[in-house]
Amino acid sequence: MAIPSDMPQGETPDVVTGAGRLTVDLSALRRNYRRLVQAAQGAAVAGIVKADAYGLGAVPVAQTLVREGCTSFFVAQLGEAIALREALGGSAEILVLNGLQPGAEELAYRAGVTPVLNALHQIAAWRRLAHRHGQRLPAVIQLDSGMSRLGLPPEDAAWLAAQSDGLDGLELTLVMSHLACADMPDHPANDAQLNTFREIAGRFPPARRSLANSGGLFLGPDYRFDLVRPGVALYGGAPHPGADVAIGVGNPMEAVVTVEAPVTQLRTVPAGAGIGYGFTRRAERPMRLATIPVGYADGWHRSQSNCGAALWQGRRLDFVGRVSMDSIILDATHAPDLQPGDMVELIGPGRSLDAVAQDAGTISYEILTSLGSRFQRRFVDPQGARP
Ligand SMILES: *Cc1c(COP(=O)(O)O)cnc(C)c1O
């Protein structure tokens, strides 16, 4: 159907044409960064912007953090690093957590991005590149202090540290490691990893040290070293998501992301009516149902069938039946005044990211990185500098 020519086109920013509205509050991001700088007590605060800044948009996020004085950014992959360097220009260091695939060294060098060196073969390749260019290159070494994922195993690190020429051609700029259980402050692995990191890092020449992600930053001063690496906390996720955090208690960070969706249709069904694919739910009484145009294709995973919720005017509207690809059915029995076009809150002031994650049986990280491309995204900066 053609759009009638008298319809205003391109001038209706509030018209929802997709799954709903996704708002990223850059002022809140900035306040979170400042809060982390304060909590870091003198340690530098890097910005972890891997996976498109956890789905929020790596470029606007990094640009905002640069203006706050952030000079180090971590991404996961070389492709992300190159794209970020092109967008940012400038002098901020951009580090690739996963390191490089063999043969990618020259590309990284030309883009001015630095790989995290996780294995002896990566160190050897980076040294060969330095030799070819007749230039000392920055070296960032990751130690595996107990997580068994990335980084030099203790025996390789010990061997390397014992070589007098093991880092020839390189300028060691950072020695780092990563905590497996930093979101659980009482877990004994934290102390064990801290001790292992201290011991092994101490064998290397003096360089900045870094151990803490968001959770680690809040484990106390011993964990902060010279540089901390928060990701999820920047974006409003709880550094230590306990049972209370999901209901909005105990998270020192401010919400950055809001997701709202419009009601597309309302109906009243009699007791016994089947609801959604597979009839995983039947109306146990006459029910008022509202449908919204958001589904698993937008990041509201099917695991939230019959257990997720939206919020409207302080009222919780439970997901009933299966989450479909493009729609979710809400129980609006207790919201008799809800109308088509009304916006319900999927993530926002009344429905925290961690609450959504808990209902979905996952973590805030996965909710954020799953946010789909069909939301109309807007970046707002209510406290931003105006020209
Ligand atoms: C993802 C990641 C971070 C950031 O973790 P958060 O828990 O989001 O703060 C820090 N360091 C490394 C090595 C990572 O992979």
Side-chain angles (χ1 to χ4, degrees):
M1 194 182 79
I3 297 171
S5 58
D6 61 347
M7 281 267 289
Q9 290 175 38
E11 293 170 18
T12 51
D14 289 335
V15 172
V16 178
T17 58
R21 272 201 295 264
L22 192 167
T23 307
V24 178
D25 184 342
L26 296 174
S27 300
L29 171 72
R30 198 160 33 231
R31 287 190 292 274
N32 280 344
Y33 185 76
R34 288 178 190 168
R35 216 163 285 182
L36 294 169
V37 166
Q38 205 167 28
Q41 299 273 325
V45 180
I48 311 305
V49 295
K50 59 192 179 184
D52 204 21
Y54 294 40
L56 273 60
V59 172
V61 164
Q63 284 170 337
T64 301
L65 297 181
V66 163
R67 286 195 289 273
E68 287 302 306
C70 180
T71 56
S72 301
F73 293 93
F74 287 84
V75 293
Q77 298 158 0
L78 177 58
E80 295 181 302
I82 292 172
L84 188 62
R85 174 61 78 210
E86 279 171 8
L88 281 189
S91 55
E93 66 177 340
I94 299 177
L95 304 158
V96 184
L97 288 167
N98 279 328
L100 302 178
Q101 296 303 316
E105 294 80 13
E106 179 68 28
L107 213 53
Y109 171 82
R110 275 193 231 145
V113 305
T114 306
V116 173
L117 303 170
N118 289 310
L120 292 175
H121 72 268
Q122 291 181 336
I123 295 171
W126 199 237
R127 284 183 61 192
R128 284 195 297 275
L129 183 79
H131 183 74
R132 259 204 314 280
H133 286 279
Q135 195 185 343
R136 267 158 85 83
L137 293 179
V140 173
I141 290 182
Q142 176 155 226
L143 309 174
D144 176 8
S145 57
M147 188 177 174
S148 315
R149 183 180 70 169
L150 284 167
L152 295 170
E155 58 277 16
D156 287 357
W159 178 85
L160 178 69
Q163 310 300 304
S164 58
D165 60 351
L167 294 172
D168 272 7
L170 304 179
E171 169 89 44
L172 188 63
T173 60
L174 179 67
V175 179
M176 59 175 277
S177 188
H178 191 49
L179 296 165
C181 306
D183 56 332
M184 295 177 273
D186 298 327
H187 202 292
N190 293 321
D191 256 7
Q193 285 199 259
L194 174 63
N195 290 331
T196 303
F197 178 62
R198 272 209 188 110
E199 201 271 303
I200 304 176
R203 302 187 195 184
F204 284 88
R208 289 175 304 165
R209 294 182 200 176
S210 175
L211 179 62
N213 64 338
S214 299
L217 168 47
F218 290 95
L219 289 178
D222 287 353
Y223 288 83
R224 292 181 205 132
F225 293 94
D226 303 300
L227 177 80
V228 293
R229 310 187 308 268
V232 81
L234 282 171
Y235 312 121
H240 297 155
D244 297 344
V245 161
I247 55 166
V249 182
N251 182 0
M253 311 316 299
E254 191 177 334
V256 174
V257 175
T258 307
V259 178
E260 307 157 281
V263 170
T264 48
Q265 197 179 1
L266 284 146
R267 80 189 69 243
T268 299
V269 297
I275 302 173
Y277 280 126
F279 293 166
T280 59
R281 179 79 180 261
R282 280 185 188 277
E284 53 273 15
R285 47 183 161 73
M287 288 175 88
R288 187 160 194 258
L289 302 178
T291 304
I292 56 172
V294 175
Y296 58 75
D298 305 297
W300 262 257
H301 295 143
R302 202 157 169 272
S303 59
Q304 291 192 66
S305 299
N306 290 306
C307 64
L311 210 75
W312 185 69
Q313 296 193 346
R315 275 167 278 183
R316 184 182 160 107
L317 310 179
D318 287 318
F319 293 1
V320 284
R322 284 224 171 103
V323 170
S324 326
M325 184 187 292
D326 319 296
S327 54
I328 297 174
I329 306 162
L330 309 175
D331 180 0
T333 308
H334 306 294
D337 37 350
L338 183 68
Q339 296 298 320
D342 284 347
M343 299 297 280
V344 301
E345 182 181 309
L346 288 167
I347 299 176
R351 178 116 181 104
S352 76
L353 179 59
D354 282 278
V356 174
Q358 191 177 63
D359 281 348
T362 182
I363 53 176
S364 56
Y365 304 65
E366 197 182 21
I367 300 294
L368 289 176
T369 57
S370 300
L371 291 170
S373 59
R374 297 193 297 184
F375 289 108
Q376 282 155 271
R377 264 163 203 266
R378 57 178 185 184
F379 292 86
V380 299
D381 196 352
Q383 271 79 55
R386 294 200 172 76

